Every structure is written in structure tokens, then in C-alpha cells.
Amino acid sequence: MSTINQQIKSFKKHNFEKVLLNVIKDHDNEIIDLNADDQLFTKGVDSDGDSLPEYKSSEYRRLKRMLNPNSVTDLKLTGDFHQGFYVDAGRFPINIDSRDSKTGELVRKYGENIFGLTDENLVEFAQSILSSIQNMQKKDLGLS
């Protein structure tokens, strides 16, 4: 016969992934903000923290510098690409993508790493969801 502690350990082990995926789904806008706004628009970096290459056309580069005060390659002109961002958190690994029609072209040009969080932003996101994970686990265990 198993003790209550053994049952709790077993329950935690089997449900932690489900809990974590649900919390990620609930906080997907934070992931999108970190990826699209912080990394791309503000810093012009991919998920490895590497700067995206400058726009090739000098005319386009000048236009973009007027539109983005950070003067970085931000992959944003009309906003459709950034607005199309979504998080697929149905299972691990989670994926970030965009529904915009230019997505394939941008991935070919700038690489798959335009999607995803830098290590710094991953830590920030993990810290921001910690209490939600704890609360959901308590709820699942009937402790709240």
C-alpha cells in the first residue's frame, strides 16, 4: 500500500507537464511580447541573442531607421508578421510561429531562430510563471 506522500509524488510527476503546458498557454502573450517586442523590435536579435543582419537595401535601411528608433533589423513594417505570432503549447517542445504570409520568406532569410526566447528572456518568463505553476499544482492536489 502506498503512502500519501508516494501518491503525491506520483501525481506531481505525471501531471507536472500538463500543468506547465496549461500555464504556458495562459501566459502565451508574455512569450510573444518577449520574442516580438523585446528581442526583434527593441534589440534586433534572434533566440540565440545574435543580431539580425542589416537590411541589404540602403534605402530600406534608412526608412526603417525612421520607423524604429532603435535602428535594428526588427522584421516589422506593416506589423502583420509580429501580430501573427502565436504559441503552440499543446506539447513539448512548445513552438512559436507567425500566421503571416511572409513567415516562410523571413525564416528562409533570417533563420528559424527568429522564433524563440533568448536565455535571458527564458529565465524572465520562467520567473514570471512560477507562482502560476505553484497555484495550479495546489489546485490539482486539492490544496487550495
Side-chain angles (χ1 to χ4, degrees):
M1 185 181 316
S2 66
T3 67
I4 186 124
N5 285 338
Q6 290 170 325
Q7 289 175 339
I8 289 172
K9 284 180 185 178
S10 175
F11 181 83
K12 285 181 180 179
K13 179 181 175 187
H14 291 100
N15 284 321
F16 184 72
E17 184 173 304
K18 180 181 122 187
V19 167
L20 186 54
L21 288 170
N22 285 332
V23 170
I24 290 169
K25 287 176 192 174
D26 290 345
H27 294 264
D28 63 347
N29 284 335
E30 290 176 45
I31 294 171
I32 291 168
D33 287 345
L34 289 168
N35 192 168
D37 293 337
D38 180 63
Q39 291 171 202
L40 294 177
F41 187 75
T42 303
K43 299 174 183 166
V45 299
D46 65 15
S47 62
D48 288 332
D50 296 331
S51 294
L52 297 175
E54 282 192 353
Y55 296 111
K56 289 183 181 178
S57 164
S58 58
E59 289 177 25
Y60 189 72
R61 223 176 13 253
R62 278 192 295 276
L63 169 67
K64 291 297 292 167
R65 285 188 182 132
M66 290 188 307
L67 298 174
N68 183 335
N70 302 312
S71 297
V72 297
T73 301
D74 59 17
L75 309 183
K76 184 175 184 176
L77 182 59
T78 65
D80 292 343
F81 176 65
H82 285 217
Q83 289 171 359
F85 271 44
Y86 67 94
V87 176
D88 178 4
R91 61 189 156 116
F92 287 106
I94 67 162
N95 290 307
I96 305 170
D97 207 338
S98 177
R99 291 181 178 90
D100 184 59
S101 61
K102 296 178 294 298
T103 300
E105 178 185 339
L106 291 171
V107 167
R108 281 188 295 282
K109 195 170 190 175
Y110 296 98
E112 292 280 340
N113 289 339
I114 58 176
F115 297 111
L117 299 182
T118 61
D119 289 344
E120 178 183 331
N121 280 345
L122 193 55
V123 168
E124 181 179 329
F125 178 71
Q127 290 172 342
S128 79
I129 65 170
L130 185 57
S131 65
S132 295
I133 293 169
Q134 292 167 337
N135 290 338
M136 194 170 278
Q137 278 193 304
K138 286 178 186 176
K139 181 181 174 187
D140 283 355
L141 290 169
L143 301 174
S144 64

